[in-house]
Amino acid sequence: MRPSSDGPRWLETALVAGFVLLLAGCGRGVSLVPVAGVVKVDGKPLPGGAITVAPADGRPASAVIGPDGRFMLSTFEPGDGVTPGRHQVTVVASRQLPGGRF
């Protein structure tokens, strides 16, 4: 009697499928909180730039600051938010502000 070659192939297919499902199921594995707002300098909206928030451990979130100072932070996908917790915040203006400030 000849051994069936379907056994090992079936097992190999099942292992590959399980691995793919495991990767898809894990996804990001982190909870995100939506964060949006307005960056202001001297009480006026910052007319363009970028903002980045970085936790001590984990992936940073960032956004482009619009001409009205508004932003919506993204970590993995547009507007998905940031990880909860304390973050270091960096704001960079896209042009020089009055008084020679950036």
Side-chain angles (χ1 to χ4, degrees):
M1 187 176 245
R2 193 170 120 205
S4 171
S5 63
D6 291 340
R9 253 190 226 283
W10 178 86
L11 181 58
E12 181 180 278
T13 302
L15 288 174
V16 169
F19 183 69
V20 168
L21 288 175
L22 179 65
L23 287 177
C26 288
R28 302 188 283 254
V30 297
S31 297
L32 299 176
V33 178
V35 175
V38 178
V39 177
K40 293 184 177 184
V41 176
D42 297 331
K44 297 178 183 174
L46 178 67
I51 182 170
T52 302
V53 298
D57 58 345
R59 188 175 176 130
S62 61
V64 172
I65 301 169
D68 58 355
R70 295 186 183 280
F71 68 91
M72 182 178 291
L73 290 170
S74 304
T75 299
F76 297 100
E77 299 173 11
D80 62 357
V82 302
T83 55
R86 295 177 58 101
H87 295 72
Q88 180 177 346
V89 178
T90 304
V91 176
V92 178
S94 59
R95 63 182 181 169
Q96 192 170 358
L97 298 172
R101 296 179 294 166
F102 285 94

